[in-house]
Each structure stands twice: as C-alpha cells, then as structure tokens.
Amino acid sequence: VFGAVDTLIGDYTKSGGFVPDARSRISDELSRLTRRMDDMTARLAVRRQALQQQFTAADLAMSRLNSQSSALSSFSSNLSL
C-alpha cells in the first residue's frame, strides 16, 4: 500500500510530473500577465500625457476666451456711454 502511494507521489512530483508542470504553467502565465500589465501601464502613461496636453490646451483656450469676453464687454459698455 505504501509502495503504491510512494509511486503515485513520485509520479506527481518527478521532473515533468503534474506538480512541476503546473508550477511551470503558472510561472509562464504570471510572466505573461506581468508583461501585459507593463504594456498597459506604458499605454496608459502615453494616453495620460496626451489627455493632459489636451486639457492644458483647452484650459488656455478658455482663459483666452474669457479674456476676450471681458474685453468685449468693456468695449461694449464704453460704446454705450
């Protein structure tokens, strides 16, 4: 009985057996997921930079429009006098 159990355990744990093979697959999957996360992080950094530039440009445009609006309001009120 113990010999059969020992053989079964040996089959599971020997090189190329179930346990080492499962560890190898898990390690490969972990490496693949790590690469995907790194790629996504890099893409997100590029996207964030682009969005920050767009926000800065929009903020500057709004500031200029507000300045023009104030100038036009001032000009309009001066014409009314």
Side-chain angles (χ1 to χ4, degrees), residues 5 8 28 35-38 47-48 52 56 79-80:
V5 170
L8 186 60
D28 292 346
R35 283 191 305 274
R36 282 187 66 197
M37 283 177 31
D38 292 343
R47 181 69 176 141
R48 178 182 178 157
Q52 283 179 325
T56 300
L79 286 177
S80 299

Side-chain angles (χ1 to χ4, degrees), residues 1-73:
V1 175
F2 290 114
V5 170
D6 188 44
T7 302
L8 186 60
I9 290 173
D11 288 343
Y12 275 99
T13 59
K14 71 180 177 185
S15 179
F18 179 75
V19 173
D21 189 44
R23 281 186 175 175
S24 176
R25 286 193 317 266
I26 290 169
S27 178
D28 292 346
E29 182 69 10
L30 182 60
S31 296
R32 187 183 68 78
L33 290 173
T34 300
R35 283 191 305 274
R36 282 187 66 197
M37 283 177 31
D38 292 343
D39 291 345
M40 287 180 177
T41 300
R43 288 196 324 251
L44 282 172
V46 168
R47 181 69 176 141
R48 178 182 178 157
Q49 181 65 33
L51 289 172
Q52 283 179 325
Q53 288 174 348
Q54 289 175 1
F55 177 82
T56 300
D59 193 44
L60 180 60
M62 287 299 295
S63 177
R64 287 179 180 164
L65 286 172
N66 285 333
S67 180
Q68 288 176 357
S69 175
S70 294
L72 289 172
S73 291

